[in-house]
Amino acid sequence: MSKARLVITALFVEGQTACEVALRYGVHRAWVYKLKARYLAEGEAAFEPRSRRPRTSPRATHRRRWSWYSRCANS
C-alpha cells in the first residue's frame, strides 16, 4: 500500500487530523492537506504519480525568435 493511500485511510476511515497523520507517517502537514484536497476532487485518481516537469520555462527562447535564429543560421 502506498504512503498516500495510508494517509487517506487514516484521515477518512480512522478520523485522524492532518497533524496526527503527518506525525504518524513522517510527512509534511502541507502534503497531507494537498493530498486530501486532491482526493476529494479526483477520487482514486489522486493516487496516480504526478509529473514533476514544470509547466512553463520562463527562460526559454520564444518560438518566433527561435524560428528567426534557425533561418539566419541556414542562410
Side-chain angles (χ1 to χ4, degrees):
M1 186 178 284
S2 70
K3 188 174 277 194
R5 223 174 260 286
L6 290 172
V7 167
I8 292 300
T9 302
L11 280 172
F12 290 102
V13 176
E14 298 173 13
Q16 296 179 2
T17 66
C19 293
E20 292 169 341
V21 172
L23 285 172
R24 182 176 175 186
Y25 293 105
V27 296
H28 200 276
R29 190 181 67 212
W31 183 73
V32 174
Y33 283 116
K34 185 183 290 189
L35 186 62
K36 178 181 176 184
R38 208 182 324 162
Y39 180 74
L40 289 173
E42 302 173 14
E44 291 292 316
F47 301 122
E48 296 298 318
R50 299 273 189 227
S51 172
R52 295 179 62 123
R53 178 178 171 252
R55 293 184 181 150
T56 62
S57 179
R59 297 182 53 96
T61 305
H62 195 274
R63 285 185 178 178
R64 276 186 264 158
R65 185 166 292 171
W66 182 256
S67 153
W68 181 81
Y69 289 146
S70 62
R71 279 190 308 232
C72 291
N74 291 334
S75 299

